[in-house]
Every structure is written in structure tokens, then in C-alpha cells.
């Protein structure tokens, strides 16, 4: 009778361990939770910081600016983490864009209330920002396919948008300086009598000669001299806002930041217009191609 070789115990256990590890790895891949990816966790933290900055926005300009700025800076960090750990996701891209649009819109809403006479400009900037990015993303998904990223713009379609989205340095500088300009305007609403005439109210009520007549220059909905009894009735009231402005912040640094960032901010709005026009034309090309494929000309379907 021939002898049969028994398998080595160590080899058998090694094979079983390898099989277990392979099964565990496959299970992890099947159950991968993209909502807990590091870039998306950073995105959630950005949302928390943005909400906190909105809470402090009416009364605490320094705290608000700090929280808002950190939220904006983390926008670059989550992109780095996505590339570093191979965790780029469609959800993360959408979360990133939605967070950017919402935070900027909220800041512009505050600026519209702080400078009522210029509110139509801020309303226009909000509309342009939302419209251009929505149409661009919709055109990318519709015409480029569901797996196409809105940041992948062919240079033949638009060299400016291609450079804007593919060059990370250009993209970061435009986004950062665009936000910096609006933050500077926000700080100037608390510190610059030139933009907020109500800040010129004299702090010495016993000396009428030192009190400047600003009633004719005060902006609507921004009382220049709220009654002290009204200052603490509601922390979100116009009186509380004026009290915060009376903190006499220095406007030198905000003016410098606004002057430096203004050209880039203006360029960013031009890019938004280009993005809006190019995306609209792309959708139009798709409509024309679909109508030709369906045999529709001038609203009449061709007979076969």
C-alpha cells in the first residue's frame, strides 16, 4: 500500500490565513464607506466652521473672519488629501462645490445688508456664481458623461477654463483672493466711515460741535444713533450691529487687502461669465445634435 503524504500543518494554516485575509480585503472593498473618507471628513469640518462663522458674523468680525478663512483654506487641504490617499469621489466634489457656493453666498447676503445701496451688485454676484457653476456642472454631466469631472475642461473648448481648472496654483489663487476681497469688504463695514457713514457718530454727546451731521448720509436700514435701551434687546438687531461697529476697528489692513485682491476678484467674475457662456453653448450643441438625430427641423419632425 502506497504511503500518502500529509500536508504540512504550517503550510495549511498559512494558506487558510491568506484566504481569510483575501476575504477580509474583499469585504472591506465591498463595504467601503465613501462618506467617511478623509477628504469628506474635512469637508464636513468646513461646513461646521462656515456655520460658526455665520453665527459670529453680525457682531464679531474678527472671530467670523478667522473661522471663515480657515474654512476656505481647508478647501485646498481636502483636495490634497483626496489625491494623496486616492479618495477622490463624486460626492466629495459636489460637497466641495456646494460648500463654496453656500458660504460665499451667505457672506454676500450680509454685505448686501451692510451696504444696501450696493445690494443689487451683491445680488448679481450671487446669481452669476450660482448660475455659472450649476450650468457648467450640468453640462459636464450631460454632455461629458456621469463620470466626467467638472474640473476636466478640454483646452479646445476653452483655454481659459482649462488653465483655471487644471492649474492648481491658478485655481487656488483665484478662489482665495476672491474670498479675501469679500472678507475685506466685510471688515470695512465695521471699520471704514467712508463705506459706513454711521461710524462717524461722535463719542462725546456733550459736545454737539464735534458731532458730524451724517443723517443725510446714513444708509437705509442702518441707524446711525440707536437708542441705548435698544442695543441689548436683541443681539441680532441693527442696534447691536451698530454697537459692534463702534468697536473702532482699524481699516488700514482691510483696505490694503481689498486693493490687492480686487483685480483677481474681477477676473474671477469674468471667468464665471465665460463659464456660463461656454456651458450654455455646449448644452445648445447637444440640443441641436439630439434634434438632428430625432429628425426634427424647425419644430417639425421629418417624415421617414
Amino acid at each position: 500500500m502506497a504511503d500518502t503524504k500529509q500536508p504540512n500543518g504550517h503550510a495549511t494554516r498559512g494558506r487558510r490565513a491568506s484566504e481569510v485575509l483575501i476575504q477580509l480585503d474583499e469585504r472591506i472593498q465591498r463595504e467601503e464607506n465613501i462618506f467617511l473618507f478623509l477628504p469628506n471628513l474635512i469637508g464636513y469640518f468646513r461646513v461646521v466652521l462656515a456655520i460658526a462663522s455665520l453665527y459670529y458674523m453680525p457682531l464679531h468680525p474678527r472671530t467670523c473672519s478667522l473661522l471663515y478663512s480657515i474654512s476656505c483654506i481647508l478647501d485646498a487641504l481636502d483636495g490634497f488629501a483626496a489625491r494623496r490617499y486616492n479618495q477622490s469621489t463624486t460626492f466629495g466634489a459636489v460637497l466641495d462645490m456646494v460648500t463654496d457656493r453656500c458660504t460665499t453666498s451667505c457672506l454676500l447676503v450680509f454685505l448686501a445688508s451692510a451696504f444696501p445701496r450696493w445690494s443689487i451688485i451683491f445680488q448679481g454676484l450671487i446669481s452669476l456664481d450660482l448660475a455659472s457653476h450649476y450650468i457648467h456642472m450640468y453640462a459636464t454631466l450631460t454632455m461629458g458623461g456621469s463620470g466626467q469631472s467638472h474640473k476636466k475642461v478640454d483646452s479646445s473648448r476653452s483655454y481659459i477654463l482649462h488653465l483655471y481648472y487644471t492649474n492648481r496654483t491658478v485655481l487656488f489663487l483665484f478662489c482665495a483672493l476672491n474670498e479675501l476681497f469679500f472678507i475685506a469688504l466685510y471688515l470695512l463695514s465695521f471699520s471704514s466711515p467712508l463705506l459706513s457713514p454711521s461710524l462717524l457718530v461722535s463719542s462725546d454727546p456733550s459736545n454737539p460741535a464735534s458731532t458730524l451731521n451724517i443723517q443725510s448720509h446714513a444708509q437705509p436700514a442702518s441707524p446711525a444713533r440707536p437708542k441705548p435701551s435698544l442695543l441689548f434687546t436683541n443681539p441680532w438687531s441693527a442696534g447691536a450691529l451698530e454697537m459692534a461697529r463702534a468697536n473702532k476697528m482699524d481699516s488700514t489692513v482691510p483696505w490694503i487687502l481689498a486693493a490687492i485682491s480686487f483685480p483677481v476678484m474681477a477676473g474671477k467674475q469674468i471667468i464665471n461669465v465665460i463659464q456660463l457662456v461656454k456651458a450654455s453653448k455646449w448644452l445648445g450643441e447637444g440640443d441641436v445634435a439630439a434634434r438632428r438625430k430625432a429628425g426634427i427641423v424647425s419644430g417639425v419632425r421629418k417624415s421617414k
Side-chain angles (χ1 to χ4, degrees):
M1 185 175 180
D3 294 336
T4 56
K5 294 183 179 180
Q6 300 293 329
N8 183 277
H10 293 290
T12 302
R13 288 193 294 271
R15 285 195 298 270
R16 290 178 179 175
S18 298
E19 292 175 356
V20 171
L21 290 176
I22 293 174
Q23 293 175 359
L24 180 61
D25 184 59
E26 292 177 349
R27 181 179 178 182
I28 291 175
Q29 291 182 6
R30 288 195 305 268
E31 298 179 358
E32 195 172 39
N33 189 348
I34 63 100
F35 296 105
L36 296 181
F37 280 3
L38 179 59
N40 295 335
L41 294 178
I42 296 175
Y44 305 147
F45 187 53
R46 287 188 62 207
V47 174
V48 173
L49 290 175
I51 294 175
S53 70
L54 297 180
Y55 175 81
Y56 287 108
M57 188 170 286
L59 298 173
H60 303 277
R62 295 182 179 87
T63 302
C64 170
S65 299
L66 177 62
L67 294 173
Y68 190 95
S69 299
I70 295 176
S71 178
C72 293
I73 293 174
L74 288 178
D75 185 18
L77 181 61
D78 63 2
F80 171 79
R83 295 185 296 271
R84 174 65 176 80
Y85 298 103
N86 194 26
Q87 293 184 340
S88 299
T89 60
T90 302
F91 170 77
V94 174
L95 174 65
D96 187 49
M97 175 176 284
V98 170
T99 302
D100 291 339
R101 304 286 73 75
C102 290
T103 52
T104 304
S105 296
C106 289
L107 180 55
L108 290 175
V109 166
F110 180 88
L111 293 178
S113 64
F115 307 111
R117 292 177 181 174
W118 304 100
S119 61
I120 189 173
I121 295 180
F122 297 115
Q123 291 166 348
L125 292 176
I126 293 173
S127 301
L128 175 61
D129 191 42
L130 294 178
S132 65
H133 283 84
Y134 175 79
I135 294 180
H136 175 69
M137 176 167 278
Y138 188 85
T140 303
L141 295 176
T142 303
M143 306 300 296
S146 59
Q148 180 72 19
S149 171
H150 68 280
K151 292 185 178 180
K152 295 181 180 179
V153 180
D154 191 87
S155 58
S156 61
R157 184 164 295 279
S158 175
Y159 175 77
I160 294 178
L161 293 180
H162 174 76
L163 176 64
Y164 175 73
Y165 278 116
T166 57
N167 190 312
R168 297 191 185 99
T169 302
V170 172
L171 180 62
F172 174 78
L173 288 177
F174 267 85
C175 293
L177 292 179
N178 180 68
E179 296 292 343
L180 181 62
F181 176 77
F182 296 130
I183 293 174
L185 276 187
Y186 165 71
L187 291 174
L188 288 173
S189 71
F190 288 88
S191 60
S192 174
L194 179 63
L195 297 181
S196 298
S198 56
L199 294 173
L200 291 172
V201 176
S202 172
S203 58
D204 184 9
S206 62
N207 185 7
S210 65
T211 302
L212 299 178
N213 181 15
I214 64 167
Q215 297 300 330
S216 59
H217 302 285
Q219 301 182 57
S222 179
R225 304 179 67 179
K227 295 180 180 180
S229 60
L230 300 178
L231 289 177
F232 302 99
T233 56
N234 183 352
W236 308 106
S237 64
L241 178 59
E242 289 304 318
M243 182 181 181
R245 290 181 172 181
N247 193 23
K248 304 299 182 183
M249 292 176 56
D250 183 26
S251 63
T252 303
V253 173
W255 272 118
I256 295 175
L257 295 178
I260 293 174
S261 58
F262 175 77
V264 179
M265 184 279 301
K268 177 69 166 59
Q269 307 315 314
I270 295 175
I271 290 176
N272 282 343
V273 173
I274 295 174
Q275 182 171 253
L276 178 64
V277 172
K278 293 293 183 180
S280 300
K281 288 184 177 180
W282 197 8
L283 288 175
E285 293 171 5
D287 288 334
V288 171
R291 289 169 63 84
R292 288 177 179 175
K293 185 176 180 180
I296 302 174
V297 179
S298 299
V300 180
R301 185 182 298 273
K302 289 182 179 180
S303 58
K304 295 182 179 180

